[in-house]
Amino acid sequence: MGFKKTVLLLFGILAFPTLGQMAISWRLTEMLGRGLVSRSHEIAALMLENVADHEGARLENTLMNQVIDLKLLLNEYSQAIRLARDFFAAQARIARLSPENTEIARGEVAEFCRTAIQSRLPRSSGIGATFEPGRFSPFLPYFMPFAFWEEGGINYDDEVTLPPDRNPDAPLTDREREDIFRHERELDYYVASLPAGHDRAAPLPEQVNWTDIYLDEITGRPTLSATAPINLDNQAAGVAFLDLPLTDLRELAERSRLAISPNTGILVFAAASGAILASSGISDPQEKKGGTLAELSFGREILDLFGRLSGNNVLRTSIRSQGAEYALIVLDVDERIGMAALTPEAEIMADSLRAGTLLTDMEAFQKQEMRKVALAGGISLAILLLAAGATLLSLIHVANRLIGSVAAVAREAAGIGSVADTMADLSRSLADGAASQVATLSATSSSLEKISGQVKNSADGVRRCGEAMAGATREVESGLGLVGKMTEAMTGISESSDKIGSILNTIKAISFQTNLLSLNASVEAARAGEAGKGFAVVAEEVRNLSGRSAEAVRQTETLISNSTERVKLGARATEQLEKGFRDIDQAMSGAVRLMAGIRESTDEQNLAIGGVNTAVAELEAEVKRNDQAAGEVAAAAQKLTRQAEALNATAGELELATAGTRTNRLAGRKDP
């Protein structure tokens, strides 16, 4: 296979896998890009849902944080009423001992009640107890201590409360006392711990009980009372109570609304009656005194959610009111108090929409990066093809020049072979003439004419031999010139190989830069997190492709290196060929000199033809010299023939290496 065909075959071997790999990479990049976009849409939908759930949970946590203080206050009052109950029971045990102890205990109770609401429980509107008749002390039939705030300070009384139309100066009768006490037993705070149907001879569970929210008769404000039964001698003796006005509920509602959103509405309501205790951000009728949840278009949904709490502190649902979508959140502050928040769904979804916009931007960025990767691959392919094409053209040009030079060398080798054949023929003729001269020396004297003819023939042969030797010399000089040209061609091939190496180094640098770009793309994908994983796979494929390109370049360098070695071998063969031509030239010079001697001898023979008889001895000696010279000429001709054959063989090898064929231009030449 010729050099040109070898180069074309190698180019095809490198080009087709490279183009196939680029097509596969392009297809994989497109598939991965589509998968990445599809996955981005799925992530966007999931993120929108998660953001909405997160925003709803945030609203729930915000409401929970807002009512913590109220829950802590209720817990504080529960502990306070237990302490007050134990204090009242202890004072009752002291009061039973004597009338004096009764008065002392009565004074202690009064001091305790005043101090409790003045310094210890400043937010309470009242504290006290109601004992069953005679159960505090047999020396005091009715004892109902009660300290409460009013205009001007703290008021305290431990007698039964007189009706508004009763003359305060007139003494109370026992019947009036019983009627007043019977009315007291029917109030919410008393019934909460000591139900009307309970046997007074049996004790009650010592637990804190809370009344439903009611409007206080004295202050006219929503009030919640904590009560605890008082047991003495394993019998129900009375009820201790602590009133908690819910004056902070309006502030709680306003604070909760601002913590969530100015467009949010807040309701605080009584669970049992549905009465609206406080509101913020919601219009009438709840702002009117005495408003209830039943007057609201979404009041039923609030009570339904509150009834379904059952262990959950907060529930959320979606409702439609006044043509808009709202999120309704209901919170259990206490078993008797609930809070509801009404927030537009648009505000909850605002963060979701912002997240969707962010994902859309990220998707556009991913598409842009995919286009950049595809463009980089296309540029790399174009550069690779251009470099390979330039390399191929350069190699073909060098091959054409080399083929021409080798053909010229082969032709010159054939010419030298022909000259060598001619010289061999002449040398054989000269040898034959010398033998004839030796054979006819004995008849020289009688055959002067014949000798004269032989001398002329010898002169003509020498002349022709001289002309042939001169032609051979010119052919040798021409061969030396062609060898010089072939040396220049070899030098050009070496320089072209160096240029090809430079081009391959450029391709390697481009491959290295492509690898760096793919590494940078991998780093950007890693920064993108989960959404950039697919993009990281694409960057890895591009890096693998650049590695394959670098490997192809290394293989091409190996082939070029092998070609360079062959060129060097050709250069060395050319040097040997040049040396052979110079040897032939030297041999031809010697032959020319010998021919000159023969001509001189022939001239001398012509001059001495008249004195042949007297110079037979000299003629015999001259003939011997001619015979020796003919032998030398034959040897030189044989040497020239062998050198011509070697030159032809070398030219054939070069022709086979470059053109892929070999022509034997010495075929048919007879052997010397």
Side-chain angles (χ1 to χ4, degrees), residues 190-342:
Y190 201 88
V191 175
S193 288
L194 189 54
H198 181 73
D199 184 6
R200 269 40 178 187
L204 289 165
E206 295 186 355
Q207 64 183 19
V208 176
N209 301 295
W210 291 86
T211 67
D212 290 331
I213 299 174
Y214 61 92
L215 293 178
D216 188 89
E217 295 178 352
I218 299 175
T219 62
R221 295 178 296 185
T223 303
L224 184 66
S225 295
T227 68
I230 301 173
N231 294 318
L232 293 172
D233 302 329
N234 289 326
Q235 294 179 354
V239 175
F241 61 89
L242 180 62
D243 297 334
L244 176 62
L246 300 179
T247 55
D248 294 337
L249 291 181
R250 179 58 184 272
E251 180 183 350
L252 172 64
E254 181 67 18
R255 189 170 62 247
S256 300
R257 182 179 70 85
L258 295 177
I260 297 175
S261 169
N263 297 324
T264 299
I266 300 293
L267 283 176
V268 181
F269 59 90
S273 63
I276 298 175
L277 305 177
S279 67
S280 178
I282 297 181
S283 59
D284 288 340
Q286 64 273 12
E287 292 291 344
K288 298 186 295 184
K289 187 175 182 179
T292 62
L293 293 177
E295 301 176 49
L296 296 175
S297 60
F298 50 88
R300 180 175 297 178
E301 286 82 354
I302 293 176
L303 292 175
D304 180 63
L305 281 181
F306 191 84
R308 286 161 45 197
L309 287 173
S310 64
N312 296 325
N313 291 324
V314 61
L315 285 177
R316 182 175 81 251
T317 188
S318 297
I319 65 170
R320 186 172 182 84
S321 177
Q322 298 179 355
E325 297 292 333
Y326 290 90
L328 178 62
I329 303 173
V330 177
L331 178 69
D332 182 12
V333 180
D334 182 77
E335 293 180 356
R336 296 161 182 81
I337 302 176
M339 177 183 286
L342 194 67

Side-chain angles (χ1 to χ4, degrees), residues 435-645:
S436 296
Q437 288 176 1
V438 173
T440 58
L441 279 176
S442 59
T444 301
S445 298
S446 62
S447 304
L448 288 175
E449 261 181 311
K450 190 174 183 179
I451 292 173
S452 179
Q454 290 291 336
V455 170
K456 290 180 180 180
N457 290 334
S458 296
D460 292 337
V462 169
R463 180 179 54 78
R464 289 194 299 272
C465 184
E467 292 175 353
M469 293 299 292
T473 300
R474 289 193 296 273
E475 294 295 333
V476 168
E477 290 175 353
S478 177
L480 285 174
L482 292 175
V483 168
K485 292 180 180 179
M486 186 169 66
T487 301
E488 292 177 357
M490 292 296 179
T491 303
I493 292 172
S494 179
E495 292 175 353
S496 298
S497 299
D498 293 337
K499 292 180 181 179
I500 292 170
S502 299
I503 294 172
L504 291 177
N505 289 332
T506 302
I507 296 174
K508 288 173 65 179
I510 293 172
S511 176
F512 179 74
Q513 291 296 326
T514 304
N515 190 24
L516 288 181
L517 289 175
S518 65
L519 288 176
N520 291 333
S522 298
V523 172
E524 294 299 325
R527 290 179 180 173
E530 187 65 20
K533 282 186 175 180
F535 185 68
V537 174
V538 176
E540 183 65 21
E541 287 297 325
V542 173
R543 187 165 63 255
N544 292 337
L545 179 59
S546 66
R548 294 190 186 98
S549 299
E551 180 64 24
V553 170
R554 286 193 291 272
Q555 293 178 0
T556 304
E557 285 181 337
T558 301
L559 294 175
I560 295 303
S561 177
N562 293 335
S563 299
T564 303
E565 290 297 326
R566 292 183 178 180
V567 169
K568 291 180 179 178
L569 291 176
R572 287 195 292 270
T574 302
E575 292 176 357
Q576 294 176 359
L577 180 63
E578 184 177 3
K579 183 176 180 298
F581 272 110
R582 295 189 184 280
D583 292 339
I584 292 172
D585 183 60
Q586 292 177 359
M588 293 296 295
S589 297
V592 169
R593 288 194 298 273
L594 289 175
M595 291 298 103
I598 294 172
R599 290 188 65 180
E600 291 177 358
S601 298
T602 303
D603 292 339
E604 290 176 357
Q605 287 178 3
N606 288 327
L607 292 175
I609 194 63
V612 171
N613 290 326
T614 60
V616 171
E618 294 179 1
L619 179 60
E620 185 178 3
E622 187 67 26
V623 169
K624 290 182 180 179
R625 286 195 297 272
N626 289 341
D627 184 61
Q628 183 179 0
E632 293 177 357
V633 170
Q638 291 178 357
K639 183 176 181 181
L640 180 60
T641 300
R642 289 194 299 271
Q643 290 177 350
E645 290 176 350

